Structures are given as C-alpha cells and as structure tokens.
Amino acid sequence: MNLSVDFAGVEMKNPVTTASGTFGSGAEFAEFVDLNELGAVTTKGVANVPWEGNPTPRVCETYGGMLNAIGLQNPGIDVFAKRDIPFLKQYDTKIIVNVCGRTTKDYVEVVERLSQEDVDLLEINISCPNVKAGGIAFGQDPKQVEKITSEIKAKAKQPVIMKLSPNVTDITVMAKAAQEGGADAISLINTLTGMKIDINRRAFALANKTGGMSGPAVKPVAVRMVYQAAHAVTIPVLGMGGIATAEDALEFIMAGATMVSIGTANFHNPTATVDVIRGMEAFMQKNGVKDIKELIGCVE
Amino acid sequence: MNLSVDFAGVEMKNPVTTASGTFGSGAEFAEFVDLNELGAVTTKGVANVPWEGNPTPRVCETYGGMLNAIGLQNPGIDVFAKRDIPFLKQYDTKIIVNVCGRTTKDYVEVVERLSQEDVDLLEINISCPNVKAGGIAFGQDPKQVEKITSEIKAKAKQPVIMKLSPNVTDITVMAKAAQEGGADAISLINTLTGMKIDINRRAFALANKTGGMSGPAVKPVAVRMVYQAAHAVTIPVLGMGGIATAEDALEFIMAGATMVSIGTANFHNPTATVDVIRGMEAFMQKNGVKDIKELIGCVE
Amino acid sequence: MADKMKSTATVDSQVMLSDGIYSMWLKFPKEQDVASKAVPGQFISMYCKEGSRLLPRPISICEINKEESMLRVVYRIAGQGTKEFSTMQAGDTIEIVGPLGNGFALKEGKNVLIGGGIGIPPMLALAKALKKDVTVVLGYRDSNLFLKEEFEPYAKVVIATDDGSVGTKGNVIDAIREEELEADTLYACGPMPMLRGVKAYAEEKDILAQVSLEEKMACGIGACLGCVCQSKEKDSHSHVNNKRVCKDGPVFDAREIIL
Amino acid sequence: MADKMKSTATVDSQVMLSDGIYSMWLKFPKEQDVASKAVPGQFISMYCKEGSRLLPRPISICEINKEESMLRVVYRIAGQGTKEFSTMQAGDTIEIVGPLGNGFALKEGKNVLIGGGIGIPPMLALAKALKKDVTVVLGYRDSNLFLKEEFEPYAKVVIATDDGSVGTKGNVIDAIREEELEADTLYACGPMPMLRGVKAYAEEKDILAQVSLEEKMACGIGACLGCVCQSKEKDSHSHVNNKRVCKDGPVFDAREIIL
Ligand SMILES: Cc1cc2nc3c(=O)[nH]c(=O)nc-3n(C[C@H](O)[C@H](O)[C@H](O)COP(=O)(O)OP(=O)(O)OC[C@H]3O[C@@H](n4cnc5c(N)ncnc54)[C@H](O)[C@@H]3O)c2cc1C
Ligand SMILES: Cc1cc2nc3c(=O)[nH]c(=O)nc-3n(C[C@H](O)[C@H](O)[C@H](O)COP(=O)(O)OP(=O)(O)OC[C@H]3O[C@@H](n4cnc5c(N)ncnc54)[C@H](O)[C@@H]3O)c2cc1C
Ligand SMILES: Cc1cc2nc3c(=O)[nH]c(=O)nc-3n(C[C@H](O)[C@H](O)[C@H](O)COP(=O)(O)O)c2cc1C
Ligand SMILES: Cc1cc2nc3c(=O)[nH]c(=O)nc-3n(C[C@H](O)[C@H](O)[C@H](O)COP(=O)(O)O)c2cc1C
Ligand code: FES
Ligand code: FES
C-alpha cells in the first residue's frame, strides 16, 4: 500500500500535513503524536519581525466550528529559524513554512531569509482575514495574487504554495492568478470571515469583532473550492477546511487535492493527524486501493 | 412589550418570517404552527412559468447544516396566484413573495403580474446557486445587481427586497448596488455554495454536484455579512442563515437586521418559527426590553 | 390548524434482529395519537440527538399497536444516524414527527406483498391489516433472514435469496414466477431495481402495483421539494412532472411514476 | 515523544453543591497517570459529547486523589457545555486532556489563599498540598456558600460576601484587611477585578502573589496562541509581550503580567 505523494516536487511519505496556526511549530503536539508519522508539518505564519497579534478574546466556538482572530502573533523569522527549524529537523517529516507579511517587501524578506534554511516548501498566506494590512487584501484581487506570487517566486529557493482565501466570488480566478504568477502549488481554504455576538453581554465574542471560521462546519465550502480550483489549474492542491476524519480527508483527495491539512480538528482531538493517516490506510485496505494516487481527483 | 417592526414601510406584528424555499407557501407547516403568529410568510421562489427543478438527490446533510440543489422547482406564477395567495390571505400575516427568473424579463414579468395581487412585499432572488442561468449570476456583479433592481423597481407595486448572495468577495458592494438601484430592503444570506462527496460510492452526494449550504453551520458568516451590510446601507435588512433559536435571531437583530427568517431550522423543528418568537418575548421580558426596536443594531 | 407536532417517544424495547438490523418499539404519549393515526406504508421522521445531524431519518412503520400507543420500526445501520438509534435503550427518548405520507390502499382480491431487504418491514403492518388472501414474497441477500417468522401468522411466505441459500435463488420476481403466484394487487417496497421489476411485472400481467419509494429528504412534510420522483402526468401540486415522495407518497401507483 | 493523550474518564460521582454549581469526581484508567501527575493550580480540558461543541472546556482541578486515580472538578453552569456535564451520571464517560498548565509554586511561610466565586475550587487542592500556615479567604456573592466546610480541616477560613450575609461585607481584600491577615505569599483565583485587587495589595505589601488567569482557549496546550495575556517582559516563547495562559500559566507571578 503506497500513501506517498509527490507534492510540487517534494516526496511526502503520506499526504497529511497540519494546517498553519493550529499546530504551532509542532513542539506542543509532539507530546501527543509522533511527528515522524506526518507527511509534513506546516508551521504557524512567520513574518520578518515579531508580531504581537490581536487583543483577547481571540477565539470562540461556533456551531460545529470556531472563529479565531489571533492576528498572526509570531516571534519573527530570526527566532523561528533559530528555534523552530532545528526542532523540526529532528524528525523525519517535511517542513512547510507558512509566511505572512504586511507588504510584499515583508514577505520577500522572509522568503529570502528562508532560502538559506533547510526547509522543504513555503506556504504564503495571502488570505488571513484577521490583520488590517496585508493578508487577505492580497488574496482577494487576482492581479495582486499574480504579482506577489511572481515577486516571491523570483527570490524563493523552495517550491512555493500560495494559500488562497475562500472569501472571494470565484476561487478559480484566484487559483489561476497564482498559477500565472508561477506558484508551484496552491493551498485552500483559509478561514471564512465570520462574526459572533454574545447577546447577553451585547458585545462581540471576539475583541477583533470578526474572525476566521474553521472546523467541520466549513467543510462543504472547502470541498467545493478545492474541486473547482483543482479543475482550474494544473499545479497541485493542498486541501483543507474542516477535516477531522479519514473520510473527510478522502473527500478532499477525491475532489482533487494531492495533500490535505488537519487544522481545527487538532483542538478537539490532539491525535487527529495520525488518526487520519491510519484511517486512510484502513480505507485503502478495505477497498483494495494500492496507491493513494488512484484516488486523487477520482470524482469528476 | 412591543415586537412589531416597520419593514420597508410594512408593519409586521413581529420581526420573524420564513426563509424562502423552506416553508413552501405555508400550507404544509400550517399543520404544525399557527401562521397567524408569524410576522410574515415568505414563499418559495416563483417564476413566470413552471420550473421542473434539478434531478435527485437534491438534498444532503452536512456537519451542522445541509446542502440543497432543488433548482427552484415551482408551479409558475399563475398557479401560485390562484392557489397560494388565497391560501395565505386566510391568515393574519404579511405575505412576502420570493421571485426567481432566468432573465431580467422573467423577473419583471412575475413582478408585473404580482402588482395586481394583494401581497405585501417582493423578495427578488438574484442569488440562487443552483440554476445555470439567472440566479446567482446576477447577484455576483454589482452592476447587474443595480440594473436588475432598478428595472424591477420600475414595475413593482410592492416594496422590493433584493436577496443577496454570500458567495462574493465584498457583501457591502452588493448591498450598496441594490440600494443604488432603488431597493427598499435587502435580505441575506442566501446559501453558500458547497459540495459533498460520498467516498464509498465515489460520487457527488447531489445530482447537481454543488448545492447551497444552509443551517446552523453558516451562521457566523451570515451574522458577519448582515453586520457589514447593515452598516453599508440605510435600507432595512432581513437577516437569515442558520437561525434555529431565539438567541440566534437576536444575534442577527443586534448585528443590524430589522427582521429575520427561519429556514433550515424548520426541517429539524417544525415549530421553529413560533418557538423563536416566544423565545424573543422571553428574552425581552427577562432583560426588561420594552420594544424590540431597541435591540436592532445595538452592537456596534 | 396547528394540530401536528414533533412528538417525544420513549423506547419501549430494542433488539438486534440480524447483523446490523434493529427492531425498536416506540411508545407515544396517549394524547398525541401518533399510533392511532398510523396506517401501513406510512413512515415517521426520526431525529438524532447529536446536533451535527439535523435532518430527519425517514423510517417506515413496521407494526402498529393502537391500544398501547406504540409503533415498531425495523431499520438497518446505514450511517451515523441509524448507528445512533441502535445504541438507544428502553427508557430513552427520541423525537419524531409522524405518521407521514400516504400509506398503501388496501384492496380486495389476491394480494401479493413484496419486500426486498430493508423494504421488508413495512410489509408486516400491511400483511396484518389486509388480513386475508395475503402472500408475501421476501427477498434477502443470503440466509440472514429477519422478520420472516413474524409474517407467518398473517400470510403465505415465499422467500428469494440472492445466493440461493434459502428459497428461490434470484430476486422476488423470480420467486413469484417460480411459485406461479397469482395476484390482483402487488404491494412492494425495496431497492430500485426490484421496484422496476415489480412495475414491469404488473404491466405484463396488467395488474395494479403499489410501490413505496425512497428519496433523500429534508423536511419530510412536503414543503421543501427535496424528495421528488418523476411522475407521468403533471402533478396537481407542482404542475411539473414531479411528485413529492414524502407527501404524495411514499406509496405510488406504479403506473403514475417513472422509475 | 507522544506520551500524552486524550483520556477517557469515568464519572465516579456527581452532586450539585449549590444553585448551578456541580462537583464531579472523575476516575482515570490507572495506566494513564492523569491524577498522579496533577498538581494544584493545573486544569483539565473537558470535551463535550455533543458534536456541535468542539472546543475543550478548561476546568481547574479541585482535588487530587492519586491512590484512586481520581480528580475532582467543581464547576458552574455557564453555558451549554457545562450544562451537558451537569447531566452526567456515575458510570458515564467523558474525554479529557490533562493535567495542563503549570500549577502553583508551593511556598514556605504564611500562605493566604484567595478564591472568588468559581475561582474557589482550585484553592482546595492547594490548601491540602500546602498543609501548614494556611488561611483561605473565600469570596461569595451571597449566603449560597459552597466548599467552605471542606476547607476547614486544612485552613483557617475567612469569608467575604458581596451582600454581607456571611462574613465581611465586601470583597476578599476587604476581608483580608478586616481580619488583619498577614501573608508571605498570596495565591489567588477568581474574577479579574479581584485579581487586580490582589495584585495591587501584593505590591502595596511587597509580597509575592500567584494569580490564576482565565482566557478563552482553543487548543489548551500552547499551540494556537488563542489564550494569551499581556506580560511585562517579552516572553521567551513568543518574543512579544504575550504569555499563553494554557501553557505558561494559568498561574502567573502577578508582577510578570498586566491585568
Ligand atoms: C420513506 C422512507 C422509508 C424508509 N424506511 C426505512 C426502514 O423502514 N428501515 C430502514 O432501515 N431504512 C429506511 N429508509 C432509509 C433510511 O431513511 C436511511 O437508511 C437513513 O435515513 C440513513 O440515515 P443514517 O444517518 O444512518 O445514514 P447517513 O448516510 O449518515 O445519512 C445522511 C443523510 O442522508 C439521508 N439518507 C441516507 N440514506 C437514505 C435513504 N436510503 N433514504 C432516504 N434518506 C437517506 C439521511 O436521512 C440523512 O439525512 C427509508 C427511507 C425512506 C425515504
Ligand atoms: C484555566 C481555567 C480554569 C477554569 N476553571 C474553572 C472551574 O474550575 N470551574 C468553573 O466553573 N469554570 C472554570 N473555568 C471557566 C470554564 O472554562 C467556563 O465556564 C466553561 O468553559 C464554559 O463552558 P460552557 O460551554 O458552559 O459555556 P459557553 O459560554 O457555551 O462556552 C462557549 C465557549 O467559550 C469558552 N468559555 C466560556 N467561558 C469561559 C471562561 N470563563 N474561560 C474560558 N473559556 C470560556 C468555552 O470553553 C467554550 O469554548 C476555567 C477557565 C479557565 C481558562
Ligand atoms: C487558531 C488558528 C490559527 C490560524 N493561523 C493561521 C496562520 O497563521 N496562517 C495561515 O495561513 N492560516 C492560519 N489558519 C488557518 C488554517 O491554517 C486553515 O486554513 C483553516 O483553519 C481551515 O482548516 P481547518 O478547518 O481544518 O482548521 C489558522 C486557523 C486557526 C483555527
Ligand atoms: C431547501 C431549500 C430551498 C431554498 N429555496 C430558496 C428559494 O426558492 N429562493 C430563495 O431565495 N432562497 C431559497 N433558499 C435559501 C433560504 O431562503 C435561505 O436564504 C438559506 O437557506 C439560509 O437560511 P437558513 O440557514 O435559515 O436555511 C432555500 C434554502 C433551502 C434549504
Ligand atoms: S422532504 Fe421536503 S418535500 Fe419531501
Ligand atoms: S489555548 Fe491554544 S495556546 Fe492556549
């Protein structure tokens, strides 16, 4: 039985990674799962300098999901390179570094800095709904998507995954723009912008008013967008949004994703990542699937 | 205690109506609830001629919600006017007729036909994701929104509510376009486009491949869009998307909705509409709110 | 007006009949009349407790006990919802809406009831209601029969199995031909290929066939138009060639619908 | 590596202590070591069965029984999740992750423990662990006291109530001043205004105060950065002025954080 996939030129032992921001840099979850079992670890967004993030409350629960407005708190690329990369290098898993920024220059600075580091892929977050400048602003305009992609590609030593926002009218336009800009892959979905009001306090549940929605509730939107995007471009797709079980992961793969990320599920099941991998193996065993690649995009 | 609201010039005994397509024209639910208790009944979309709708399966369940691709099956305006309007006129509730079409001409034909009928408001569905022509195509382009609104307004005898699609990058642009076109109110959200794959059959759960997502799972997106839209326009907002309880309804009202619709909740609780009304009364009682209007948009 | 409601039933008993097939008796508050209104061929909408599963699960009525205000359902574990039901124990409560749909029209003459797989349960209530001249043809996959003995007091029982381990090897129509059963009316519930066979057989013999259909449902009461089947004539409700399985059915005269 | 896990605890007993306040003893499989690793001030993440509620509910450890592999939690019904917990009965199972967070540092000298409202429970485990020179100041809204008697074997107990119905009328700091309590270390858990008062009092008296904070959490284990509080110095993990309540806390030296 073969679970390995080639993702943008990187050989992964299986198609499962973590969704950026839900797994830190792996240290905390390493107490619950063996990181060696994962296809890759995708790290929390990192910028050129440390970011404070948003005031609290930063998270709240919603029906079958959650909202977050962390605001991309991160220690900056220097600390990340010194502390988090060496930590992850101890494990036999690929490293996908998620990059955030306020300006194109910010992004490029991080990407250049990472070109000296031994990491496998870069995931560029142009779709965070929780920061005022940068983030989602890039991800909602195809011209900007193409431009920032090509500027990053000009400097990047590792293959580049552009992470797209679901808060758009037509995801295929954004997927194509990323491809045009030279992206090696795309990942989606980032969070859907949402809001919760506490009617008893007559106040927003999050200090930031709006937050990004994730978890099982968003899965149908994510599967739809992965399907549409996978049919619009020729570069591989990293699918995510509400994956909690192997069945969920297989839905994304059958819709056209070459890899999948586990995000919010880690919060209600700290072993979700390895549970998904084992469940995929069990499904393949039961259904006589010899190679996971047979399933990628098999539902047309 | 006063629950009545003025919605686009129509006095409603309370701010609760039904979401189009989830309540038929009221006949089936009249066996479960007293329609006289509702602020208004909003009927299933009706076109100038009968529509067959989509092949089955047309509905499927998702985590905390559902997908539908009914495809706007309806008997056409003639049968509707002869059968459904007289049925609803037996009750002391307002009538909001939801209108669908493939071309602007289709919409205008229905609107003109309804100008002779004793109904209270028109809700124009320019946001149905489940039909090939018309529907959502209008609702995703601000120029089209404005144009179709003004053409409908030119013929309409009743106040016009434009029903907006959530499958857009910026809901405020669409809300403003509707207002520019002369809309008397806007309603949102229609369904989010989603997809489900049955991994065991390796097939789409819906014959139409994609469907519209509704139910509690979508509520945070709906509340966010209602808040944004209510702050972008001066016309009143009819809010919906995942409302199942009085608490949910109040969240929309505090976000800025003047009225709310109960949709998918009717399927898991046939008395959801009146339960919401009673729950709102109880909340007002407990919190010393004399007039529901005090709560509209109270969270800024 | 407003005389129907969601009812809270209490599980009176539940047993596993066969691999993955459960039988549950539900008891209703006397004043709610759910059982006394029920007729064979109708179904109830059963609701899950788990809040991530919102839509009703339509399940046919297998037996009706009006005196005790009880209904029996027999169901197969098909997914998470039926799995949830299968863990329920006597004394647990469950929300239901029903009885829903139209039920079978009871005819005079020779009645042949045809149940395939999980379409068998509704035939039991029907066999009991028809009382005389009843033959029931039950189609199973293999020798894991269920409910068979319970039919014996009310009907002549004929069996077909896919693997031939019991009765006729083949499908229910094969069994009818093999046993040379004569019928004035057929009543059928089961998988689509079986229903197509029943419809064709009825046309061949020029007899009436009432077939019970399945479709994915959202409201279960006729409001959402989720569960339609194609009808030959323009339906009087929809004015297109569509009938609602939940409200206009689930039982249809086979001549009226396209399978 | 990979030595922590989600544990399935069994409810050993549950009782209501006061209006809306419940006490539950959870028993863990011996091999999982949850109780034996726990220290006062830590918490556990409790998970709902209902699938629409996905995030953990952080609840402080109120008592630790290592011999029996049991932990006690005392919680108030604050919303749907705690309501779900309150319906659980002996024998029911619940999923938890823990023990989590850092716990109180046990100090020599005069220890004054301060609990306000639902911040009282963790003080019980602490009082038992500190053993000597323990005074506990408990702040309640009114005469609906809970846990008070359970402290008596381990500590001198001082009460403050908002309405003055028992003990000092006012807050816990009012009670400390009224009773002229001397302290080398304060340990506090309760609402934010109370913690601010404790921090100010400690600064005034130039003594150590350890305060236990609350914040909305998503992961509960330090990975998501959902639950931060503002720290005076740049934190060694985040390199900004933020500390994670779940991982770096919930107990902090009051001097290190901005309340
Ligand atoms: C009129 C009618 C009568 C029925 N009578 C019986 C019966 O007596 N015994 C029995 O075992 N089954 C019966 N079924 C099928 C039964 O409704 C499904 O097996 C059940 O809903 C599956 O639910 P689940 O949560 O286990 O499966 P899931 O696949 O997890 O269900 C997901 C969703 O799909 C719907 N769904 C799945 N399968 C079907 C289906 N075959 N028909 C309609 N909806 C479906 C569910 O209701 C739910 O909304 C009947 C169906 C209909 C329409
Ligand atoms: C470290 C820590 C220890 C705690 N110890 C106790 C205790 O011993 N006894 C007790 O009664 N309560 C305690 N709380 C508060 C308790 O976590 C909340 O009351 C509980 O999570 C509410 O859940 P709910 O589903 O009933 O409420 P809801 O309001 O429905 O919960 C919705 C979401 O908000 C979160 N939430 C709501 N209130 C709080 C809160 N005050 N703090 C953190 N998250 C919250 C919930 O976890 C959930 O994710 C503690 C909180 C923290 C952070
Ligand atoms: C708490 C939290 C923090 C996140 N931080 C980031 C981030 O730093 N960068 C990023 O690209 N996406 C971030 N995301 C988005 C996730 O990576 C993922 O796209 C989204 O949550 C959908 O997947 P899920 O439903 O499996 O969680 C974050 C999500 C959550 C819930
Ligand atoms: C089965 C079904 C049919 C619908 N049909 C229509 C329709 O005909 N016209 C329309 O404008 N919206 C239609 N909608 C959308 C709803 O009116 C509503 O906008 C949406 O479902 C969100 O609300 P909810 O989550 O409360 O259901 C339909 C929704 C469902 C679930
Ligand atoms: S399920 Fe709604 S009409 Fe049949
Ligand atoms: S809750 Fe995730 S870091 Fe504390």
Side-chain angles (χ1 to χ4, degrees), chain A residues 60-61 196, chain D residues 43 48 53 55-61 73-83 118 121-122 212-217 245 250:
Chain A
C60 70
E61 190 177 72
K196 181 173 174 175
Chain D
F43 67 96
C48 296
R53 292 191 281 275
L55 297 184
R57 272 61 184 164
I59 304 286
S60 299
I61 295 168
V73 289
V74 170
Y75 62 93
R76 190 185 60 207
I77 296 189
Q80 292 303 315
T82 42
K83 193 164 177 184
I118 202 61
S212 178
L213 301 190
E214 273 192 20
E215 191 45 79
K216 297 281 194 295
M217 296 182 179
V245 171

Side-chain angles (χ1 to χ4, degrees), chain B residues 154-165:
Chain B
K155 304 290 178 182
K157 286 282 180 303
Q158 293 90 354
V160 169
I161 312 167
M162 297 305 289
K163 185 159 178 184
L164 304 181
S165 170

Side-chain angles (χ1 to χ4, degrees), chain B residues 235-255:
Chain B
I235 51 179
V237 174
L238 168 53
M240 70 193 86
I243 300 177
T245 65
E247 288 71 30
D248 297 335
L250 289 162
E251 213 181 323
F252 281 79
I253 287 172
M254 291 187 185

Side-chain angles (χ1 to χ4, degrees), chain B residues 21 24 28-34 50-52 56 58-59 61-65 70 73 75 79 83 216 267-268, chain C residues 1-4 6 47 52-55 57 215 218-219 221-226 228 237-242 244:
Chain B
E28 292 80 14
F29 277 97
E31 300 187 303
F32 291 88
V33 293
D34 181 356
W51 286 16
E52 293 268 343
T56 56
R58 288 177 171 185
V59 293
E61 192 177 71
T62 65
Y63 205 98
I70 308 294
Q73 178 186 326
V79 171
R83 178 185 63 193
F267 304 157
H268 55 95
Chain C
M1 191 194 306
D3 57 344
K4 287 198 190 165
K6 207 169 184 181
Y47 287 84
S52 63
R53 291 190 282 275
L54 294 169
L55 297 183
R57 271 61 183 164
E215 191 46 79
C219 72
I221 63 170
C224 76
L225 309 180
V228 299
H237 174 84
S238 68
H239 290 259
V240 291
N241 297 72
N242 278 339
R244 297 164 298 179

Side-chain angles (χ1 to χ4, degrees), chain A residues 73-283:
Chain A
Q73 178 187 327
N74 76 85
I77 185 65
D78 289 334
V79 172
F80 179 84
K82 218 177 320 173
R83 179 184 63 191
D84 297 12
I85 297 175
F87 169 79
L88 283 169
K89 291 311 289 180
Q90 303 170 265
Y91 297 92
D92 174 24
T93 187
K94 302 295 175 187
I95 303 174
I96 305 179
V97 180
N98 184 283
V99 177
C100 60
R102 292 195 177 87
T103 63
T104 306
K105 208 176 128 279
D106 291 354
Y107 284 99
V108 170
E109 206 178 311
V110 182
V111 167
E112 285 191 301
R113 177 78 176 71
L114 285 167
S115 66
Q116 309 145 27
E117 298 291 336
D118 188 11
V119 301
D120 299 287
L121 289 139
L122 309 181
E123 182 182 52
I124 312 298
N125 178 8
I126 51 165
S127 45
C128 181
N130 301 322
V131 293
K132 294 275 172 294
I136 204 166
F138 288 110
Q140 292 182 326
D141 175 353
K143 284 196 211 76
Q144 296 243 40
V145 172
E146 185 176 335
K147 186 153 172 289
I148 193 170
T149 306
S150 60
E151 293 189 34
I152 284 169
K153 272 299 290 179
K155 304 289 178 188
K157 286 279 179 303
Q158 294 90 353
V160 169
I161 312 168
M162 296 304 290
K163 185 159 178 185
L164 304 180
S165 169
N167 302 294
V168 296
T169 306
D170 187 346
I171 194 70
T172 65
V173 173
M174 303 301 155
K176 284 181 200 153
Q179 176 164 288
E180 281 304 308
D184 300 289
I186 52 174
S187 60
L188 69 166
I189 59 175
N190 209 315
T191 51
L192 277 165
T193 309
M195 177 183 279
K196 181 173 174 175
I197 289 174
D198 180 334
I199 62 163
N200 293 311
R201 292 190 303 114
R202 297 192 196 175
F204 299 102
L206 298 178
N208 190 50
K209 296 191 184 179
T210 58
M213 184 173 159
S214 61
V218 308
K219 197 184 67 170
V221 173
V223 172
R224 185 260 298 182
M225 290 194 170
V226 163
Y227 176 85
Q228 291 177 327
H231 284 73
V233 295
T234 53
I235 51 179
V237 174
L238 168 53
M240 70 193 87
I243 300 177
T245 65
E247 288 70 29
D248 297 336
L250 289 162
E251 215 180 322
F252 281 78
I253 287 173
M254 290 187 186
T258 301
M259 280 192 84
V260 294
S261 306
I262 315 296
T264 301
N266 290 303
F267 303 158
H268 54 95
N269 175 15
T271 57
T273 44
V274 297
D275 292 352
V276 165
I277 297 166
R278 302 224 176 95
M280 284 168 85
E281 285 167 352
F283 177 91

Side-chain angles (χ1 to χ4, degrees), chain D residues 43-110:
Chain D
F43 67 96
I44 57 174
S45 275
M46 294 173 62
Y47 287 85
C48 296
K49 284 218 163 50
E50 164 57 40
S52 63
R53 292 191 281 275
L54 294 169
L55 297 184
R57 272 61 184 164
I59 304 286
S60 299
I61 295 168
C62 170
E63 275 194 90
I64 303 163
N65 181 334
K66 293 189 202 283
E67 295 71 42
E68 301 283 331
S69 277
M70 299 213 294
L71 290 179
R72 181 186 186 188
V73 289
V74 170
Y75 62 93
R76 190 185 60 207
I77 296 189
Q80 292 303 315
T82 42
K83 193 164 177 184
E84 179 186 319
F85 301 150
S86 74
T87 64
M88 297 182 70
Q89 295 174 348
D92 288 347
T93 57
I94 179 168
E95 304 219 295
I96 75 110
V97 170
L100 296 170
N102 60 356
F104 291 100
L106 309 189
K107 299 285 174 185
E108 302 291 313
K110 295 199 180 65

